[in-house]
PDB file of all heavy atoms in Angstrom:
ATOM      1  N   SER A1557       5.850  -7.975  14.413  1.00 85.00           N
ATOM      2  CA  SER A1557       6.653  -8.939  15.174  1.00 85.00           C
ATOM      3  C   SER A1557       7.631  -8.233  16.100  1.00 85.00           C
ATOM      4  O   SER A1557       8.047  -8.780  17.108  1.00 85.00           O
ATOM      5  CB  SER A1557       7.430  -9.844  14.219  1.00 85.00           C
ATOM      6  OG  SER A1557       8.460  -9.100  13.613  1.00 85.00           O
ATOM      7  N   GLY A1558       7.999  -6.981  15.761  1.00 80.00           N
ATOM      8  CA  GLY A1558       9.000  -6.290  16.565  1.00 80.00           C
ATOM      9  C   GLY A1558      10.358  -6.952  16.467  1.00 80.00           C
ATOM     10  O   GLY A1558      11.270  -6.661  17.234  1.00 80.00           O
ATOM     11  N   GLU A1559      10.494  -7.874  15.497  1.00 80.00           N
ATOM     12  CA  GLU A1559      11.758  -8.594  15.356  1.00 80.00           C
ATOM     13  C   GLU A1559      12.253  -8.451  13.917  1.00 80.00           C
ATOM     14  O   GLU A1559      11.487  -8.087  13.033  1.00 80.00           O
ATOM     15  CB  GLU A1559      11.542 -10.077  15.652  1.00 80.00           C
ATOM     16  CG  GLU A1559      11.229 -10.338  17.104  1.00 80.00           C
ATOM     17  CD  GLU A1559      11.140 -11.828  17.392  1.00 80.00           C
ATOM     18  OE1 GLU A1559      10.198 -12.476  16.897  1.00 80.00           O
ATOM     19  OE2 GLU A1559      12.030 -12.324  18.075  1.00 80.00           O
ATOM     20  N   PRO A1560      13.536  -8.758  13.691  1.00 78.00           N
ATOM     21  CA  PRO A1560      14.051  -8.646  12.325  1.00 78.00           C
ATOM     22  C   PRO A1560      13.270  -9.505  11.334  1.00 78.00           C
ATOM     23  O   PRO A1560      12.602 -10.473  11.722  1.00 78.00           O
ATOM     24  CB  PRO A1560      15.499  -9.132  12.446  1.00 78.00           C
ATOM     25  CG  PRO A1560      15.847  -8.947  13.877  1.00 78.00           C
ATOM     26  CD  PRO A1560      14.588  -9.137  14.646  1.00 78.00           C
ATOM     27  N   PHE A1561      13.406  -9.150  10.042  1.00 78.00           N
ATOM     28  CA  PHE A1561      12.595  -9.795   8.995  1.00 78.00           C
ATOM     29  C   PHE A1561      12.774 -11.301   8.901  1.00 78.00           C
ATOM     30  O   PHE A1561      11.871 -12.018   8.511  1.00 78.00           O
ATOM     31  CB  PHE A1561      12.913  -9.163   7.629  1.00 78.00           C
ATOM     32  CG  PHE A1561      14.312  -9.411   7.147  1.00 78.00           C
ATOM     33  CD1 PHE A1561      14.589 -10.421   6.239  1.00 78.00           C
ATOM     34  CD2 PHE A1561      15.363  -8.633   7.591  1.00 78.00           C
ATOM     35  CE1 PHE A1561      15.860 -10.654   5.774  1.00 78.00           C
ATOM     36  CE2 PHE A1561      16.660  -8.862   7.141  1.00 78.00           C
ATOM     37  CZ  PHE A1561      16.905  -9.870   6.244  1.00 78.00           C
ATOM     38  N   ASN A1562      14.001 -11.796   9.288  1.00 80.00           N
ATOM     39  CA  ASN A1562      14.228 -13.229   9.105  1.00 80.00           C
ATOM     40  C   ASN A1562      14.157 -13.992  10.426  1.00 80.00           C
ATOM     41  O   ASN A1562      14.623 -15.109  10.535  1.00 80.00           O
ATOM     42  CB  ASN A1562      15.570 -13.464   8.416  1.00 80.00           C
ATOM     43  CG  ASN A1562      16.714 -12.838   9.198  1.00 80.00           C
ATOM     44  OD1 ASN A1562      16.509 -12.284  10.279  1.00 80.00           O
ATOM     45  ND2 ASN A1562      17.909 -12.930   8.651  1.00 80.00           N
ATOM     46  N   ALA A1563      13.549 -13.359  11.453  1.00 80.00           N
ATOM     47  CA  ALA A1563      13.454 -14.003  12.765  1.00 80.00           C
ATOM     48  C   ALA A1563      12.514 -15.203  12.710  1.00 80.00           C
ATOM     49  O   ALA A1563      11.639 -15.288  11.846  1.00 80.00           O
ATOM     50  CB  ALA A1563      12.944 -12.998  13.786  1.00 80.00           C
ATOM     51  N   ILE A1564      12.725 -16.117  13.659  1.00 82.00           N
ATOM     52  CA  ILE A1564      11.834 -17.280  13.737  1.00 82.00           C
ATOM     53  C   ILE A1564      10.694 -16.883  14.658  1.00 82.00           C
ATOM     54  O   ILE A1564      10.558 -17.397  15.759  1.00 82.00           O
ATOM     55  CB  ILE A1564      12.589 -18.506  14.306  1.00 82.00           C
ATOM     56  CG1 ILE A1564      13.877 -18.710  13.497  1.00 82.00           C
ATOM     57  CG2 ILE A1564      11.716 -19.757  14.283  1.00 82.00           C
ATOM     58  CD1 ILE A1564      14.764 -19.789  14.014  1.00 82.00           C
ATOM     59  N   SER A1565       9.865 -15.904  14.207  1.00 78.00           N
ATOM     60  CA  SER A1565       8.838 -15.466  15.160  1.00 78.00           C
ATOM     61  C   SER A1565       7.518 -16.147  14.822  1.00 78.00           C
ATOM     62  O   SER A1565       6.737 -15.672  14.011  1.00 78.00           O
ATOM     63  CB  SER A1565       8.741 -13.939  15.234  1.00 78.00           C
ATOM     64  OG  SER A1565       8.367 -13.355  14.103  1.00 78.00           O
ATOM     65  N   VAL A1578       6.985 -10.531   7.220  1.00 93.00           N
ATOM     66  CA  VAL A1578       8.293 -11.077   7.613  1.00 93.00           C
ATOM     67  C   VAL A1578       8.491 -12.349   6.786  1.00 93.00           C
ATOM     68  O   VAL A1578       7.523 -12.903   6.253  1.00 93.00           O
ATOM     69  CB  VAL A1578       8.372 -11.394   9.129  1.00 93.00           C
ATOM     70  CG1 VAL A1578       8.372 -10.105   9.948  1.00 93.00           C
ATOM     71  CG2 VAL A1578       7.239 -12.318   9.574  1.00 93.00           C
ATOM     72  N   TYR A1706       9.784  -3.729   8.880  1.00 85.00           N
ATOM     73  CA  TYR A1706      10.519  -4.611   9.785  1.00 85.00           C
ATOM     74  C   TYR A1706      10.313  -4.158  11.220  1.00 85.00           C
ATOM     75  O   TYR A1706       9.218  -3.714  11.586  1.00 85.00           O
ATOM     76  CB  TYR A1706      12.015  -4.634   9.429  1.00 85.00           C
ATOM     77  CG  TYR A1706      12.309  -4.935   7.977  1.00 85.00           C
ATOM     78  CD1 TYR A1706      13.050  -4.071   7.198  1.00 85.00           C
ATOM     79  CD2 TYR A1706      11.854  -6.108   7.383  1.00 85.00           C
ATOM     80  CE1 TYR A1706      13.345  -4.359   5.874  1.00 85.00           C
ATOM     81  CE2 TYR A1706      12.144  -6.396   6.068  1.00 85.00           C
ATOM     82  CZ  TYR A1706      12.877  -5.518   5.309  1.00 85.00           C
ATOM     83  OH  TYR A1706      13.157  -5.796   4.002  1.00 85.00           O
ATOM     84  N   ASP A1707      11.407  -4.189  12.017  1.00 86.00           N
ATOM     85  CA  ASP A1707      11.242  -3.847  13.432  1.00 86.00           C
ATOM     86  C   ASP A1707      11.325  -2.343  13.699  1.00 86.00           C
ATOM     87  O   ASP A1707      11.499  -1.923  14.838  1.00 86.00           O
ATOM     88  CB  ASP A1707      12.261  -4.611  14.297  1.00 86.00           C
ATOM     89  CG  ASP A1707      13.647  -4.657  13.698  1.00 86.00           C
ATOM     90  OD1 ASP A1707      13.785  -4.444  12.481  1.00 86.00           O
ATOM     91  OD2 ASP A1707      14.600  -4.881  14.451  1.00 86.00           O
ATOM     92  N   HIS A1748      18.118  -1.864  10.376  1.00 88.00           N
ATOM     93  CA  HIS A1748      16.853  -2.623  10.306  1.00 88.00           C
ATOM     94  C   HIS A1748      16.664  -3.295   8.950  1.00 88.00           C
ATOM     95  O   HIS A1748      15.718  -4.052   8.757  1.00 88.00           O
ATOM     96  CB  HIS A1748      15.654  -1.688  10.523  1.00 88.00           C
ATOM     97  CG  HIS A1748      15.659  -1.005  11.853  1.00 88.00           C
ATOM     98  ND1 HIS A1748      15.405  -1.655  13.024  1.00 88.00           N
ATOM     99  CD2 HIS A1748      15.897   0.285  12.184  1.00 88.00           C
ATOM    100  CE1 HIS A1748      15.479  -0.802  14.040  1.00 88.00           C
ATOM    101  NE2 HIS A1748      15.782   0.385  13.551  1.00 88.00           N
TER     102      HIS A1748
END
Side-chain angles (χ1 to χ4, degrees):
S1557 71
E1559 291 185 292
F1561 66 98
N1562 57 3
I1564 308 175
S1565 63
V1578 291
Y1706 308 123
D1707 42 340
H1748 299 288

